[in-house]
Amino acid sequence: MRKLIIANWKMHYGPVKAGGWVRAFRRERLPKDLDVSIAVPDVSLAAARASLGRATIPALAAQDAFWEAEGAFTGETSPTMLNEFGVVMCLVGHSERRKYLGETDEMVAKKAVALQRAGISPVICVGETDADKKRGATMKVIRVQVSSAISNLKPDGHAQPLFAYEPVWAIGSGKPCRPDDARDVHTAMREIFAKKWGPKWTHEIRILYGGSVDARNIAEYVSTTGIDGALVGGASLDPRGFGLLCRAALPA
Ligand code: PEP
């Protein structure tokens, strides 16, 4: 399976800076076997799209979407609207949205289904908090989050779901999860896929790792069996630095 790295800009870069980022990143040399995507704020999708032109790399992603296609939902953006920008993937259930905006597993599940229906791959983010980890509840938390998220999802089709395992304590902390520990969680997630969809799907769904990944440690994750790439926050903000990270992921 090809490895994938997604840049999560979070709430950085309005249209002007987003356009500049994309133009600068397009000058970076990238490994040909690597898939790369950028999750940009909604207000910057048009600028990012314009700067990408016909280029399909990096693929355009969004950071969130609502579960209805249209209606009286002030402030929300629907998957069908994201489609108009050529968005191919969309994060859902990022821990910052769970923490600051009260997103529940039920909301995450509805968003994932709506995205898939609109032909956009949901990138479902799951992860335990520091408190969960300290009380030994990591696997329990992950099982609940994953099972809920996939309850009404299909594993196949052109909008195949993806996952990002992002331990909350590792995000932006400079304290990444050890690759072996991440791999164990990914293995537990794959068991849930197999149970729900059949053994064929055990290794067919991409699971990325996220949390304090940078150019120095990316290769360790990408080279670990069962880790299909990374979701990168802070280290994606500088286009040249992110180019370096992509090259470090799959050294020539
Ligand atoms: C993230 O926000 O998804 C993330 C992984 O952030 P960081 O790389 O900064 O830890």
Side-chain angles (χ1 to χ4, degrees), residues 6-10 91 94-96 125 164-176 209-214 230-237 245:
I6 306 178
N8 175 18
W9 291 359
K10 312 193 187 201
L91 309 183
H94 191 283
S95 63
E96 286 149 15
C125 304
Y165 168 54
E166 300 206 298
V168 181
W169 48 269
I171 295 181
S173 64
K175 293 186 198 127
Y209 165 75
S212 297
V213 171
D214 58 28
L231 181 55
V232 181
S236 72
L237 291 179
L245 184 151

Side-chain angles (χ1 to χ4, degrees), residues 61-161:
Q63 298 178 8
D64 184 45
F66 196 58
W67 55 78
E68 297 288 348
E70 201 172 63
F73 304 105
T74 303
E76 294 298 327
T77 303
S78 74
T80 44
M81 291 170 179
L82 296 178
N83 252 333
E84 294 185 26
F85 295 101
V87 164
V88 294
M89 286 177 222
C90 180
L91 309 183
V92 276
H94 191 283
S95 63
E96 286 149 15
R97 297 199 59 84
R98 293 179 191 256
K99 178 176 174 191
Y100 298 119
L101 294 146
E103 280 202 8
T104 62
D105 287 338
E106 193 192 356
M107 290 157 80
V108 171
K110 289 199 309 193
K111 289 178 177 199
V113 168
L115 282 161
Q116 192 168 54
R117 201 178 298 130
I120 297 174
S121 288
V123 183
I124 299 156
C125 304
V126 298
E128 81 284 6
T129 62
D130 193 37
D132 295 332
K133 181 174 148 74
K134 285 190 175 131
R135 66 188 168 88
T138 296
M139 293 300 187
K140 187 168 170 228
V141 167
I142 298 300
R143 278 196 195 99
V144 170
Q145 291 179 345
V146 172
S147 306
S148 165
I150 66 173
S151 50
N152 293 311
L153 275 189
K154 291 179 298 180
D156 48 2
H158 69 292
Q160 192 176 57

Side-chain angles (χ1 to χ4, degrees), residues 116 153-157 159-161 193 196-198 201 204-205:
Q116 192 168 54
L153 275 189
K154 291 179 298 180
D156 48 2
Q160 192 176 57
F193 303 154
K196 164 91 178 156
W197 293 317
W201 295 101
E204 291 291 312
I205 304 290

Side-chain angles (χ1 to χ4, degrees), residues 184-238:
D184 291 347
V185 175
H186 290 204
T187 302
M189 291 169 69
R190 292 185 193 286
E191 282 163 11
I192 302 170
F193 303 154
K195 227 183 193 162
K196 164 91 178 156
W197 293 317
K200 165 172 177 247
W201 295 101
T202 312
H203 299 290
E204 291 291 312
I205 304 290
R206 288 209 268 207
I207 308 179
L208 314 180
Y209 165 75
S212 297
V213 171
D214 58 28
R216 282 163 310 193
N217 62 22
I218 181 74
E220 290 175 58
Y221 292 99
V222 167
S223 61
T224 299
T225 307
I227 299 183
D228 301 314
L231 181 55
V232 181
S236 72
L237 291 179
D238 170 51

